[in-house]
């Protein structure tokens, strides 16, 4: 009888252990991924009970997809990386390369026991290494001169009471082509693409034409047009639309902000929302509060505090090519750990630090559509009571450190923008089933079919500026 009870107890304990293991399988997989044990994580998910695999199909797909994306980002062997470095710096030593790895100037991972370098690591090295600072400073000055030209151009127009000036009427075409046979013929492709939204700087938004029926997003912070099409064998699938809108430059100088500033209404819902956490990338902790207080050095005025945070990030974290956002757990932590960040990463760092001081801040992003460059771009907005939401382009500010334009992008933004996102990581409308290619931001578009997401290597998108016309006011 005693042996029977012992066996029964063992079975109960074992069953409980199995149930517990099944319930926290996600954290186990994430721990394996953190250690670079991808094959182990993949095998573990394959051996989950069938009921779990069926119920958690999308989550399993997402975790496998993240590992695939990390592998796509870390494709360079150490020997390949060293060869590329030595082509430009023949006298570089192995000790110097080892030092760059220790100081995160070269980003790498150990995946399944093998070292892999980030595919952009050598290119990023020329931006991050102190030994190459002189060349980087020359590029930075060239960028500054271009952006100063846009600033001087805008200043020729008087600003209205909201700091708006230099209005333009924009006409833009966006198109997306899915590769031939990316999905079997007869399958339906679901496509989401960016569209501007109305705010103080963007007005009179209009869809001019489209090659397919359009559904506009509802209730999402990612403003999109949605289209569907049936794939044909051997043919790429083309999606295209043209839209127009009016957009203005906006800048409010620090002196005016200080004069207009009022105490925050800390009980308002908006204040609480935009000074709080927004996981996984905006997390306020005791450490972020301590860092923010250290940066502002006792300053208590929100305008001056935000300016100090902005300047500190600009001087501390240079730009470098980024990994896929979906593979990074927390952007500000990543920036601090690696010593660099792209536009979205430093924007999230700025938002987190100023929120840590009780200053409301939020995300905004879309496209930069300058005459010399059309590309994805992310920035922020900072709220000052008595003034409202003011644009803050942390990344562009890096090119103006130590120049007469130092404060322009702290509380201003140029006219060459198309904003389509008011937040990060929101659900798309209509809702997307599988993990997005970009889980944080939304600029190039998203594509899926009934069996999964289609990644960037199966389609391409482009934004074309057809015209920029000055509006007389």
């Amino acid at each position: 009888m005693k042996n029977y009870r012992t066996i029964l107890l063992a079975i109960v304990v074992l069953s409980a252990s199995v149930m517990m293991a099944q319930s926290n399988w996600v954290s186990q997989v994430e721990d394996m991924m953190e250690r670079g044990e991808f094959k182990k994580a993949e095998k573990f998910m394959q051996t989950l009970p069938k009921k779990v695999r069926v119920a958690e199909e999308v989550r399993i797909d997402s975790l496998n997809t993240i590992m695939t994306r990390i592998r796509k980002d870390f494709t360079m062997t150490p020997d390949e990386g060293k060869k590329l470095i030595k082509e430009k710096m023949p006298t570089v030593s192995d000790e110097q390369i080892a030092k760059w790895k220790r100081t995160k100037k070269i980003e790498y991972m150990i995946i399944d026991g093998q070292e892999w370098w980030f595919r952009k690591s050598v290119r990023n090295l020329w931006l991050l290494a102190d030994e190459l600072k002189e060349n980087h400073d020359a590029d930075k000055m060239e960028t500054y001169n271009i952006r100063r030209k846009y600033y001087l151009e805008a200043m020729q127009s008087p600003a209205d009471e909201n700091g708006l000036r230099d209005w333009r009427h924009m006409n833009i075409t966006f198109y997306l082509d899915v590769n031939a046979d990316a999905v079997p013929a007869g399958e339906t492709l679901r496509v989401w693409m960016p569209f501007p939204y109305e705010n103080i700087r963007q007005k009179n938004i209009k869809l001019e034409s489209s090659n397919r029926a359009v559904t506009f997003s509802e209730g999402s912070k990612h403003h999109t047009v949605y289209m569907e099409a049936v794939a044909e064998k051997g043919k790429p699938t083309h999606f295209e639309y043209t839209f127009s809108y009016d957009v203005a430059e906006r800048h409010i100088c620090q002196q005016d902000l200080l004069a207009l500033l009022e105490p925050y209404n800390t009980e308002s819902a908006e204040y609480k929302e935009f000074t709080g956490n927004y996981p996984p990338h905006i997390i306020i902790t005791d450490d972020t509060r301590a860092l923010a207080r250290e940066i502002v050095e006792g300053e208590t005025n929100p305008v001056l505090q935000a300016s100090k945070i902005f300047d500190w990030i600009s001087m501390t974290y240079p730009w470098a090519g980024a990994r896929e956002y979906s593979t990074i757990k927390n952007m500000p932590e990543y920036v601090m750990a690696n010593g660099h960040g792209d536009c979205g990463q430093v924007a999230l760092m700025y938002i987190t630090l100023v929120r840590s001081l009780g200053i409301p801040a939020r995300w905004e992003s879309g496209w930069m559509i300058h005459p010399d460059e059309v590309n994805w771009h992310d920035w922020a907005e900072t709220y000052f009571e008595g003034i409202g939401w003011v644009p803050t382009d942390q990344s562009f500010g890096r090119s103006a450190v130590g120049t007469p334009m130092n404060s322009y992008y702290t509380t201003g933004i140029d006219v060459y923008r198309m904003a389509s996102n008011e937040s990060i990581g929101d659900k798309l409308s209509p809702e997307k089933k599988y993990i997005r290619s970009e889980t944080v931001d939304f600029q190039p578009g998203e594509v899926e079919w009934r069996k999964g997401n289609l990644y960037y290597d199966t389609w391409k998108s482009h934004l074309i500026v057809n015209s920029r016309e000055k509006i007389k006011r």
Side-chain angles (χ1 to χ4, degrees), residues 25-42 45 63 66-67 70 74 104 107-114 323 326-330 333-334 337-338:
W25 69 268
V26 175
S27 62
Q28 292 180 62
V29 170
E30 289 177 340
D31 287 344
M32 294 174 202
M33 291 169 62
E34 192 73 23
R35 295 192 297 268
E37 298 172 344
F38 287 10
K39 289 180 180 178
K40 185 177 178 181
E42 290 163 341
M45 288 189 284
L63 290 165
I66 294 298
M67 287 187 282
I70 292 174
F74 289 81
K104 304 294 181 72
E107 188 173 357
Y108 71 96
M109 286 186 69
I110 306 297
I111 301 174
D112 296 323
Q114 184 173 346
R323 286 169 49 183
S326 62
T327 69
I328 299 173
K329 283 190 172 182
N330 179 280
E333 287 180 3
Y334 175 86
N338 289 276

Side-chain angles (χ1 to χ4, degrees), residues 7 28 31 45 54 88 97 106 157 183 200 221 296 322 335 345 347 352 371 390 395-396 398 405 448 450 458 460 467:
I7 293 169
Q28 292 180 62
D31 287 344
M45 288 189 284
V54 171
K88 289 193 174 184
I97 292 174
I106 295 174
S157 306
V183 300
I200 195 170
K221 296 296 185 181
V296 300
V335 172
Q345 292 165 344
T352 301
V390 176
S395 188
F396 268 39
R398 287 183 286 201
M405 273 184 66
E448 76 173 16
R450 67 183 177 88
T458 61
K460 292 182 180 177
S467 62

Side-chain angles (χ1 to χ4, degrees), residues 269-279 282-284 289 351-352 355-356 358-361:
E270 187 174 46
Y271 179 86
K272 291 177 180 178
E273 177 182 359
F274 293 109
T275 54
N277 292 328
Y278 193 85
I282 303 172
I283 304 291
I284 299 165
R289 290 190 184 94
I351 291 167
T352 301
R355 284 192 184 191
S356 296
I359 301 170

Side-chain angles (χ1 to χ4, degrees), residues 373-417:
E373 185 176 9
V374 174
N375 210 337
W376 314 344
H377 192 54
D378 312 325
W379 56 93
E381 290 187 306
T382 313
Y383 184 83
F384 299 111
E385 198 77 51
I387 300 97
W389 289 102
V390 176
T392 302
D393 193 332
Q394 179 68 70
S395 188
F396 268 39
R398 287 183 286 201
S399 66
V401 172
T403 74
M405 273 184 66
N406 189 53
S407 63
Y408 176 72
Y409 287 108
T410 313
T411 53
I413 202 166
D414 56 64
V415 71
Y416 299 109
R417 308 295 172 122

